[in-house]
Amino acid sequence: MSGAQYYQHYHSGQPQPQQYDQYVALSPRPTPNTYSQAYSSQPTSPSSFILPPSAFTPTREEHIRTGSISYHPANGYTGTNSHPIQIPMSSQHQSSYTTPRMSPGMNGGGSAGLTMASMPPLSLPESFLEEQSDYAEYYSDVGFASEDSVPIRNSIAPRFNTEAIIARPEGYYQGQPHVPVESFLMPTQDQYPADSLILFGGTASHSEGSMFRKDAKEYLMLTNSSLLKYKSMEKAAKVFGNQSVWSSSSGHQLLTPQQTALISKENRILSLNSIVGIHTFQPAGSDVQIQIEYLVSISSQPASMHFTPAPDQAELWLKELRQGCNYHAAQAGIIAKGTRQRQWVLDKMRDDHISLPQSVPETDPTALTAGGMWRAYFKSQRLVGVPTNDTSLGESKVPLEGKVVVIAIGKSYIHLVPHNLGNGSNKDDLKDERNILQYPILTTKAIQYRERDDTFSISFGTTLRQRKVVITFASARAREIIIAIRARVESLRWLYPLGRKGIELTLSETLSRPIPVPSKEYMSDLGFEDLLRAECNAMNLDRGVFHNVRVEGFKVVVGKAGDSPDNRSDYTVDEMKCLLRALRFNTTFKEISFHNISFADLQKPKTMKDGTIRYGLRLDKEFYELVMGNPQIRSLDLHNCNLDTGTIGSIGRAIRDGFTAGLRLEYLDISGNNASDGADVMTLAKGIVKHAGTLHGLELGNCQITGDGINQIMHAFVANPDVATHTLETFGIQGNAESKVNSYILDMFLKHSMQLQRLDLSGLPSWSKSPILMAETLSNCSGSLTHLDLSGMALHPTTLDQILAWISNPGFQSMEVFKVEGCGLDGAQFASILDAVGQSRNPKVEIHAGRNLLSDGNDLPEVLVNILASSETPTSINLRQTCWSEPSLRQLFVSLSQNWSLRRLDLSSVSLASNRDPDVETCKLLGQMLCAHSSRLEELYIQGEETAELTSRMGKNLWRSFQGMGMSRYLTKLDVRRNRFRDEGALALAEALRGNQSLIWLDMDENDVSVEGFNAILAAFHQGGTEHVPTGTMTYNSTLCYFETPIKDVETQTLILRESMLETYKKEQETRFLLSNSTGKDSREWKERLAQIIRTRNMSAEAIGRLDRAVKGIASATERNKAAMEAVYRDRERRRDREMDRERERERDRNHNSQLGL
């Protein structure tokens, strides 16, 4: 019975399908046909179609890995060798036909074709071959089997559940590689997998290997599991029936179990699973010879089978043999996971991370670059680029040549390991280990793969006289090896030095398509760790020193040296050199931050004990190489790094020279460094000229820039003729007191600033002329300016007039923060600013006007008092570090008690001209301001400041205002740190909290509060108080949700109590000594004194515990309030939603009634 007859017989409903189902169940590695489930064969009417030979034999143009079977409709086929198949009508029969290694067929239009519902599964799906390897799903991403490479008409594409596809970043690896976990076992004659399909057949001449008879040709047959031999075609026909089925002009033929049983042991030559690689050899004047390298056993050297097919069948034999290995031989050329050999290689090359760690799933994006392990035949190695007088080295013989090797692709190296290592054989293992070859991934220069057979070549670069090492392999898994190498190279592309352009490929169009590398943000290792470890080994340093160096996607943040977050110190010269060298040429990172890392001691020469001088780091050279080696840098943060002026100039030179190499800097922060040399500042300005169209942020504050340095920097942004308006959003030049700023250049700079958002000009006292700023220029920022800091500048009346004119301009609408601290403003000038802001349409701007002399003698100017009481002020006023007189401070509180527009007030570091704390009456006026009927104040910051020269605070009398705070209806945030009001103030604050129902956030640290005070605060959250502080009232606080832990007070009180315990312990020891040497009345007195000392010590220990419990109790109570408040908010939201639903329903009813009325 032929395959076509058996196919027809199967669908006729005879008992034969039961035998076939049993055969499928006994298949060596059944592949679930998921597509056949989606497209079940349900014939609805009698129809016939023709299967020509080409339907089972791929044409020459087909891609050898597509695994497709062409289908041509009956009316479009004109061949002679056709196989008609009748499919009878059976409306009640549900076909469950599942051909191993096959998928649904195609819908060939016309009456002679089958409908989609009735088409039997006839083509191998792309997913079939994909699930056979480590990079299963990856093939479809790369485009191994594209529709263009499969000449199929009217093919039915498999359905995909698009709803289940989750949005991923570009390049995200979503594959699920399938690798067989069973060990590689060479089948014996009795253990060959059952043959179910004949792939090809033909006559071949005898060749090497003693596989053939010497005096005649043999007839070879290729099945889906093994290669068979027969003396002649007639002998094979006796087993398999019609000889046309397996002849060179025939296609794939299904075998019945009866035919499979007739295959004897003597007929089997080798198993497809044992094949390592297939390649060709054509001696001079002879036909093409096919060479098959295969393994007889796992530990022995490979055997070679050579045969010469008919000239017209050589290409077909190659194609069928290679497809058979790829489609039907799951273990051909693969080192399966879970085998002893794979584990041995992993252990041997553990440092190279050949496979993923157990904690990383195979679906992780890093699986793409995890590498893999395959078998290959090492054909040859040669050197390219050898001089003519040294041609003897061109063909270099290596011990692995002509042998089977294991190709293990790790994260950094390609390892070539003798195949017998790791299989339990100890003979010559040590000798073979010396033959292991390793080539760095980054040295891969070219890959050549003609795809005619399994042969491919890899070229590795060397540093020896510009030579290249070219190694030629033959492997049944050549495609997978090439894909793995390319994926690993692409994943390390950012580690290449400048100018590296990847691999030169000589591959097919489908195989040379770009590799979809995962996004770096989703990769656990970005290459920096490998480089840093290598530098540590070279310099004999501990890798743990760099524990505080964090890698956050494209950003690296360098923290202090230390092996833990709590252990921090400055870096030594060798440690910093190691870190800078690891960052050099590493194009992974677009943002590099050395924020607050001091380089001051690293540049100084150091005299060693033996008298030798060890020079410090050449930071100018190191940072030049760092910037030039990574043209991908977009942000460089060197804030407060104590760099010298030469290094700043070198950075400027690097950003100038790096522009031609692709550097496009967007943010540069070098504030807090030394740039006192004018030539270095000029070099920096020249670099900025190149990046005027890309820089978004530039911070040059406190850089000791002198002379015209600032002017040169500002002029650089308008000196580039290719940039009409620069892209700067943040510009800070504050604190350069020795620099003389030209007002004209600043005006020109601002006229070109169309995107400027933050401008910091604080601490620049020296200007060329007034006015410093022009209203028209500030308005030119197109409403983008949000932060302007003029603190520390002497505002001339002409400049102030321009500022007032700008405030009334529509361009002021975008302002969020306006600072004029320490500008020498008097009360009247400050009143004019408040009045202008109040008249503008932007009352939400924050005005910072501290450190100005607002009082005229003893009192505030009348105009300022009126403005503060008029409710036409900004919503936020900051007057921190302001010196007041007692009467002026009282006037402030009285006037603000009538202001209903102010929402935020900062009176931190209040100081009086008399150098004492405000008195009781002043503090009471503060409380009256908070509980006034007109007051809408929500945030009050009144913390003190303590320095060696001056103490600025409201002081111990502040608690007098707490009664008014308790009656405030709007106050939500209160900061009263460092006022030293002690337990007396804590008791008053507790009473205020008990009655207040608006305060949400409180910070009261550093007020010398003891355990009694904190117990009083805790009692305010409970009805009737607590065990330690009982009260008669039933009111309690239910709104405070955030209580900043009083760390300083707890530490201070704990230290006091521990010192007290230490003193009592010393007294206890003295008393015990005296007691032991006393008698009579003295003895009784010493016993009583000892008991008293012990009680005192126990009380101190109990006080420490009560303090801790009190603070934790307050935190727990605020968490309870927070949870309750969130529940209330959720309930309000639900009520609002229900009310909105009811309103919409009522609106629909009204519309409906109005329509009915019409």
Side-chain angles (χ1 to χ4, degrees), residues 385-394 465 467:
V386 179
T388 56
N389 59 355
D390 197 13
T391 54
S392 60
L393 299 177
R465 290 185 286 180
R467 296 176 181 175

Side-chain angles (χ1 to χ4, degrees), residues 638-804:
L638 299 172
H639 176 82
N640 197 25
C641 289
N642 299 316
L643 298 174
D644 61 8
T645 182
T647 304
I648 299 298
S650 182
I651 293 173
R653 186 167 59 256
I655 64 177
R656 180 197 63 191
D657 299 343
F659 185 82
T660 58
L663 178 66
R664 297 296 183 268
L665 203 60
E666 297 179 0
Y667 179 80
L668 177 63
D669 186 352
I670 56 175
S671 56
N673 298 290
N674 180 8
S676 56
D677 191 288
D680 294 323
V681 176
M682 174 60 75
T683 304
L684 178 63
K686 291 179 180 179
I688 292 175
V689 171
K690 297 288 187 178
H691 298 267
T694 62
L695 268 175
H696 297 300
L698 179 61
E699 296 287 351
L700 299 172
N702 302 302
C703 282
Q704 307 175 34
I705 300 177
T706 60
D708 292 334
I710 295 295
N711 299 327
Q712 295 169 359
I713 296 294
M714 292 190 297
H715 188 268
F717 285 96
V718 297
N720 192 332
D722 298 330
V723 180
T725 58
H726 58 77
T727 59
L728 204 61
E729 299 176 359
T730 301
F731 185 53
I733 54 176
Q734 72 279 4
N736 295 290
E738 301 298 325
S739 182
K740 188 175 182 179
V741 183
N742 189 298
S743 303
Y744 173 75
I745 296 179
L746 174 63
D747 185 72
M748 182 173 56
F749 166 78
L750 293 177
K751 285 181 179 178
H752 288 77
S753 303
M754 306 302 294
Q755 303 178 28
L756 192 62
Q757 299 178 8
R758 294 173 177 265
L759 178 61
D760 192 346
L761 303 176
S762 61
L764 298 176
S766 179
W767 292 82
S768 60
K769 65 182 182 65
S770 294
I772 300 171
L773 297 170
M774 300 294 293
E776 180 183 357
T777 305
L778 291 173
S779 301
N780 189 61
C781 294
S782 301
S784 62
L785 194 62
T786 60
H787 291 71
L788 177 60
D789 191 350
L790 304 177
S791 302
M793 296 173 52
L795 295 182
H796 192 272
T798 56
T799 303
L800 183 60
D801 292 340
Q802 294 293 327
I803 291 175
L804 295 176

Side-chain angles (χ1 to χ4, degrees), residues 6 17 59 84 232 293 333 407 456 536 591 637 698 707 717 743 753 812 830 851 935 940 984 1061 1106 1122:
Y6 184 80
T59 60
S232 64
E293 310 293 340
I407 300 180
F456 65 99
C536 289
E591 301 180 36
D637 187 353
L698 179 61
F717 285 96
S743 303
S753 303
F812 186 75
F830 179 54
R851 295 187 284 122
S935 177
L940 176 61
E984 187 178 16
M1061 292 175 62
R1106 286 192 288 115
K1122 181 180 178 181

Side-chain angles (χ1 to χ4, degrees), residues 301 335 341-342 344-349 352 354 372-378 399-400 403-410 413-423 429 431-439 473:
Q301 285 301 323
I335 308 294
Q341 184 178 24
R342 186 183 183 95
W344 185 92
V345 177
L346 293 179
D347 294 339
K348 201 71 177 176
M349 314 297 175
D352 197 30
I354 291 178
M373 224 176 285
W374 298 267
R375 287 189 178 89
Y377 178 71
F378 195 118
L400 295 180
K403 299 179 180 179
V404 172
V405 296
V406 174
I407 300 180
I409 300 175
Y413 287 88
I414 297 177
H415 307 271
L416 305 179
V417 184
H419 93 287
N420 58 300
L421 290 180
N423 289 306
D429 275 4
K431 177 182 177 182
D432 289 336
E433 285 187 31
R434 292 196 293 266
N435 296 332
I436 296 177
L437 299 180
Q438 294 179 332
Y439 294 93
F473 301 95

